Amino acid sequence: MSYHASDVDSEFPHVRALFRSGPARHAILSNCDEVRYEELAGMFSEVPVIRGYRTPDGLAFRHKVAAQDTHSQEELERILSSGGVQIRKPSGDLIRYAMTILEVDDPQALLMVGDQYLTDIASANLAGAKSAKVRTFKPETFPLSIRTTQLVERMLYALRTSKRQGSAR
């Protein structure tokens, strides 16, 4: 999707079919704010959209599938008013919660697909899961801060790759 788009781009018609097909199961781990979380849950009602919060009492997770939210608005307000803050990627905790929702016991059976090394791919690494890096679709629609981070990611990856190739010689 382009940044904060209202639906999957028509260039990728297979995404909806993929979400509905078996035996693979899918989830979306959200780094966005509460408003966008609700939008994503509405757009992708066929898969769980997951968020997590760090609270003074520990971790709290929620997910929404087809308008069924694991937390009421009152519960969410209680989490946030008690000092709860959103867990953002990179986070192995979000991956591990997704594993419980998807009923996956072995993190190596999970594949995290994402367009950012320092959030998506790092989350998979923290949980011991596999990952696949995909290109960012319509990067020009993303805020400058994200594009800058992705530029740094690409430079670090290129540096790492060139060092590996140099040591293999």
Side-chain angles (χ1 to χ4, degrees):
M1 298 176 70
S2 56
Y3 187 73
H4 282 217
S6 60
D7 203 354
V8 175
D9 193 273
S10 61
E11 189 174 328
F12 302 102
H14 59 284
V15 170
R16 293 275 182 207
L18 178 67
F19 282 169
R20 291 185 184 109
S21 69
R25 292 164 296 203
H26 305 86
I28 295 171
L29 306 183
S30 171
N31 250 9
C32 56
D33 62 23
E34 295 293 331
V35 171
R36 184 64 176 166
Y37 170 82
E38 293 293 335
E39 290 173 358
L40 288 172
M43 283 186 270
F44 300 104
S45 60
E46 61 270 50
V47 298
V49 179
I50 296 172
R51 287 180 66 83
Y53 306 89
R54 292 193 193 291
T55 74
D57 299 324
L59 302 178
F61 294 96
R62 74 189 272 222
H63 67 278
K64 193 170 187 174
V65 182
Q68 298 286 329
D69 198 330
T70 56
H71 287 67
S72 68
Q73 188 61 37
E74 294 79 28
E75 290 170 315
L76 177 59
E77 287 173 12
R78 188 173 55 252
I79 287 171
L80 296 174
S81 67
S82 70
V85 294
Q86 178 187 356
I87 298 172
R88 297 182 56 83
K89 296 178 281 182
S91 170
D93 293 323
L94 284 173
I95 299 285
R96 285 185 283 278
Y97 181 73
M99 289 174 59
T100 64
I101 298 304
L102 299 172
E103 300 176 347
V104 174
D105 295 325
D106 179 5
Q108 284 291 296
L110 190 78
L111 176 65
M112 172 69 161
V113 178
D115 69 338
Q116 294 186 48
Y117 290 110
L118 298 177
T119 57
D120 305 318
I121 305 309
S123 291
N125 291 342
L126 289 169
K130 296 177 183 175
S131 61
K133 165 70 170 75
V134 296
R135 71 176 174 87
T136 299
F137 183 68
K138 295 190 179 179
E140 68 279 1
T141 66
F142 284 71
L144 181 59
S145 60
I146 293 175
R147 290 183 300 184
T148 302
T149 301
Q150 289 178 327
L151 175 63
V152 171
E153 288 178 336
R154 285 191 302 275
M155 292 183 333
L156 290 171
Y157 185 77
L159 179 64
R160 181 173 182 244
T161 302
S162 67
K163 282 187 177 188
R164 272 191 186 166
Q165 291 172 348
S167 66
R169 291 182 186 151

